[in-house]
């Protein structure tokens, strides 16, 4: 009886693996057709290209540890921002105490 259970479990495992591979094949066909029709690369390809670029920049010294700057793409490789660009986090504005407020949603 033990060998029958092993055979059944093996067949269930093979069926699960076949279903997984079939689903992956369907996704690859769908993503490729969508890529050809719309011109947008699949997300998997985009992530892989970004990972490869980061790995190359890390080898070239683009990642500076300990400076708080994190990853900086090297120039000439499609860097989205110049190194001297500044990001404004917060803009200061005066808060007037007597300004009209929205009515509260509390019920009496």
């Amino acid at each position: 009886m033990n060998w029958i259970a092993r055979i059944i479990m093996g067949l269930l495992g093979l069926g699960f693996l076949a279903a997984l591979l079939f689903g992956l094949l369907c996704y690859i066909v769908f993503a490729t057709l969508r890529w050809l029709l719309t011109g947008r690369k699949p997300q998997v390809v985009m992530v892989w290209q970004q990972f490869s670029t980061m790995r190359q920049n890390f080898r070239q010294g683009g990642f500076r540890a300990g400076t708080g700057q994190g990853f900086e793409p090297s120039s000439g490789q499609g860097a989205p921002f110049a190194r001297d660009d500044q990001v404004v986090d917060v803009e200061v504005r005066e808060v007037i105490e007597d300004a009209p407020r929205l009515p509260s949603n509390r019920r009496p």
Side-chain angles (χ1 to χ4, degrees):
M1 190 66 165
N2 192 16
W3 60 275
I4 294 175
R6 285 186 178 187
I7 290 174
I8 291 174
M9 293 301 282
L11 290 175
L12 284 174
L14 285 175
F16 179 74
L17 182 64
L20 199 66
L21 289 175
F22 180 73
L24 181 64
L25 179 68
C26 288
Y27 171 74
I28 290 172
V29 169
F30 171 74
T32 304
L33 288 175
R34 191 176 67 183
W35 186 0
L36 291 173
L37 293 175
T38 63
R40 292 181 60 196
K41 292 182 181 179
Q43 194 67 27
V44 175
V45 174
M46 300 288 284
V47 169
W48 185 257
Q49 287 177 346
Q50 186 177 13
F51 177 72
S52 297
T53 303
M54 287 175 59
R55 189 175 62 218
Q56 288 174 357
N57 287 336
F58 181 77
R59 285 188 198 147
Q60 295 171 359
F63 182 80
R64 297 185 303 174
T67 61
Q69 297 296 322
F71 173 74
E72 289 186 20
S74 59
S75 61
Q77 293 186 355
F81 300 104
R83 292 180 188 224
D84 59 346
D85 284 347
Q86 293 182 358
V87 176
V88 177
D89 248 355
V90 179
E91 292 185 16
V92 178
R93 64 185 172 122
E94 185 179 349
V95 177
I96 303 171
E97 291 294 327
D98 295 333
R101 306 277 184 217
L102 293 174
S104 64
N105 292 333
R106 285 191 257 155
R107 294 184 183 189

